């Protein structure tokens, strides 16, 4: 027996199942006598009815979960039929009658009703399907958004008799969409305030997207649209163009985030400076498929940096001149003190000796203790003037250079303080300008004085080396050391000598560093670039 053939012959008084497109129906065509219905087994009908009811329940539940309902508009009767899901979405109480056409209009905002009514009328007239977003107003005043789909249904004669469709509550989607638009507006405002735009480049298509601020930064009307990659590259100066291309490929090849500065030539001829940050974006396989980036106008910052560099150069030049003037004055004072005081003291000693020799022996014996005091005072004054002259400007520094001056001063310092000074400078052969020699000597001089006052050291080591273009001066002692943080405490005066050394080094473009720990001595490092302009 072929159950799929509805024309298959069955014995009289029997019922069979017929399958049509997956649906099962009872085949009753062989029941000829109405009396046979009394003996008909209808259990299959009941089972199918239960299955249909179960499917209807599942469909209704799916509609509720999806906030979806169906509706019909009967053209001839002009009435609208809603499913229970739509009634629930609109917030109608149970048992309320279907609203009249006038009531339906009041359920919509004016604009939404005009669009929905026009779409239904057009579908009735042309048979055209439609989709409309409509804003609804529930009886409690709450507003909801529905996406309404509709299409025409025709009778056997082809006449449109119904408009059937579905409506889905998309309020949450609309709210999220509105929040997204608000966020995008705030982002645009923030970008405009900060002068930062964002862009995206698809690696495979070379298509770009620009934010509104990027259009403004490149002085390009939005009406021209986003340029292709080649046109976009034309905005950059030649050196920036090559750098941008290389950076793009570096980001793609390595997956690393990159930052670069670019010189931009605007259509107006104005030259601007941008800084771009490039972030590679991989696909699921790890292949870099997109580049995302930001661009910021830093023209004003570059101008300030240039002005700052210019001012720093001016300050450095003034500092160099100040050091030169200071050393010149020291040299003049030392020379004048030596040339005037030393001859006078020598003449005074000679005159005093002659005077002592001319005294009668009896008088000489009486005043001999006083004369010895005067001789000692004259000798001490002569020594003091010589030391002051050396401190102010050692003659060795002018006549023999830095290294002999350091040897002489280390010997003099050792004799006065009792602290041993070890010099590791004899292998230093780099030529130095007179002004730089003066700065180095003064730093060593200040460091030794500082050590004698505060370090309680037994020895001091001084080294002078150079590595290529870099000169390094190291001064280290084995004293008590200290905590560098104490120098910043209010009222601290222990760091005045260190401040002087730092200023001397930085005045001529050097770098000063200090390291010390309690009980571990102190180490001072000063470095200079010998290739920079001479101070």
């Amino acid at each position: 027996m072929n159950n799929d053939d509805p024309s298959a012959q069955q014995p009289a008084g029997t019922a069979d199942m017929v399958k049509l497109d997956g649906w099962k129906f009872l085949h009753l065509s062989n029941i000829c006598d109405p009396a046979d219905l009394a003996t008909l087994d209808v259990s299959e009908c009941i089972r199918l009815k239960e299955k249909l009811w179960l499917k209807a329940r599942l469909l209704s539940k799916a509609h509720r979960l999806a906030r979806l309902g169906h509706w019909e508009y009967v053209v001839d009767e002009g009435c609208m039929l809603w499913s229970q899901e739509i009634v629930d979405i609109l917030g109608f109480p149970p048992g309320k009658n279907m609203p009249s056409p006038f009531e339906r209009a009041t359920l919509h905002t004016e604009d939404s009703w005009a669009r929905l009514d026009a779409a239904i009328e057009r579908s009735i007239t042309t048979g055209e399907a439609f989709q409309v977003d409509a804003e609804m107003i529930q009886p409690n005043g709450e507003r909801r958004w529905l996406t309404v789909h509709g299409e025409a249904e025709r009778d056997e004669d082809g006449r449109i008799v119904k408009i059937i469709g579905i409506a889905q509550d998309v309020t949450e989607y609309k709210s999220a969409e509105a929040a997204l638009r608000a966020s995008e507006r705030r982002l645009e405002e923030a970008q405009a305030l900060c002068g930062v735009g964002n862009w995206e480049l698809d690696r495979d298509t070379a298509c770009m997207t620009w934010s509104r601020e990027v259009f403004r930064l490149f002085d390009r009307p939005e009406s021209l649209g986003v340029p292709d990659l080649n046109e976009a590259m034309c905005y950059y100066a030649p050196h920036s163009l090559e750098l941008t291309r290389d950076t793009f490929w570096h980001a793609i090849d390595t997956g690393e985030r990159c930052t670069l500065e670019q010189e931009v030539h605007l259509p107006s001829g104005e030259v601007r400076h941008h800084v771009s940050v490039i972030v590679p974006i991989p696909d699921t396989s790890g292949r870099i498929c997109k580049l995302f980036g930001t661009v910021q106008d830093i023209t004003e910052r570059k101008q300030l940096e240039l002005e700052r560099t210019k001012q720093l150069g001016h300050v450095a030049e003034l500092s160099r001149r100040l050091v030169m003037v200071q050393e010149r004055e020291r040299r003049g004072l030392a020379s004048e003190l030596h040339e005037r005081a030393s001859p006078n003291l020598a003449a005074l000693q000679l005159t005093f000796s002659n005077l002592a020799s001319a005294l009668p022996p009896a008088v000489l014996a009486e005043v001999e203790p006083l004369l010895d005091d005067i001789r000692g005072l004259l000798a001490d004054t002569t020594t003091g003037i010589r030391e002051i002259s050396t401190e102010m400007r050692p003659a060795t520094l002018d006549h023999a250079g830095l290294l002999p001056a350091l040897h002489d001063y280390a010997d003099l310092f050792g004799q006065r303080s009792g602290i041993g000074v070890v010099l590791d400078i004899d292998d230093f052969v780099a030529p130095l300008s007179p002004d730089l020699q003066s700065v180095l000597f003064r730093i060593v001089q200040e460091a030794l004085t500082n050590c004698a006052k505060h370090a309680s050291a037994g020895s001091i080591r001084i080294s002078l080396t150079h590595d290529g273009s870099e000169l390094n001066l190291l001064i280290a002692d084995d004293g008590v050391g200290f905590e560098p943080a104490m120098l910043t405490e209010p009222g601290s005066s222990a760091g005045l000598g260190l401040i002087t050394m730092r200023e001397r080094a930085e005045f001529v473009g050097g770098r000063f560093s200090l390291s010390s720990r309690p009980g571990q001595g102190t180490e001072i490092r000063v470095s200079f670039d010998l290739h920079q302009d001479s101070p």
Side-chain angles (χ1 to χ4, degrees), residues 385-394 409 412 441 445:
I385 290 176
R386 187 181 301 113
E387 289 179 356
I388 291 173
S389 297
T390 301
E391 289 281 348
M392 293 184 67
R393 182 73 183 185
Y409 189 78
L412 179 62
F441 179 82
Q445 189 180 49

Side-chain angles (χ1 to χ4, degrees), residues 407-464:
H407 276 290
D408 287 352
Y409 189 78
D411 291 340
L412 179 62
F413 176 82
Q415 293 171 10
R416 288 190 317 207
S417 65
I419 302 174
V421 180
V422 178
L423 295 176
D424 182 13
I425 61 176
D426 293 336
D427 294 334
F428 185 84
V429 294
L432 302 176
S433 67
D435 294 323
L436 184 54
Q437 291 186 54
S438 296
V439 170
L440 291 171
F441 179 82
R442 294 301 178 196
I443 292 174
V444 170
Q445 189 180 49
E446 186 65 41
L448 293 179
T449 301
N450 221 39
C451 181
K453 289 180 178 179
H454 308 292
S456 300
S459 65
I460 303 172
R461 181 170 64 89
I462 300 173
S463 69
L464 188 64

Side-chain angles (χ1 to χ4, degrees), residues 243-264:
L243 177 61
T244 302
R245 285 174 174 166
D246 292 344
T247 306
F248 273 22
W249 281 113
H250 179 78
I252 291 173
D253 293 339
T254 66
E256 296 177 354
R257 172 175 172 167
C258 304
T259 303
L260 72 156
E261 292 187 5
Q262 301 147 307
E263 181 181 317
V264 178

Side-chain angles (χ1 to χ4, degrees), residues 459-515:
S459 65
I460 303 172
R461 181 170 64 89
I462 300 173
S463 69
L464 188 64
T465 60
H466 69 94
D467 181 11
S469 65
E470 184 170 271
L471 178 150
N472 294 288
L473 171 65
L474 172 66
I475 307 167
D477 66 57
D478 60 358
V480 295
F482 63 96
E483 187 62 52
M486 65 171 288
L487 299 177
T488 61
E489 294 179 358
S492 174
S493 60
L496 294 179
L498 297 172
I499 293 174
T500 301
M501 286 182 271
R502 180 186 296 276
E503 288 179 347
R504 285 187 181 277
E506 293 178 350
F507 273 169
V508 292
R511 297 176 298 280
F512 177 93
S513 66
L514 167 74
S515 62

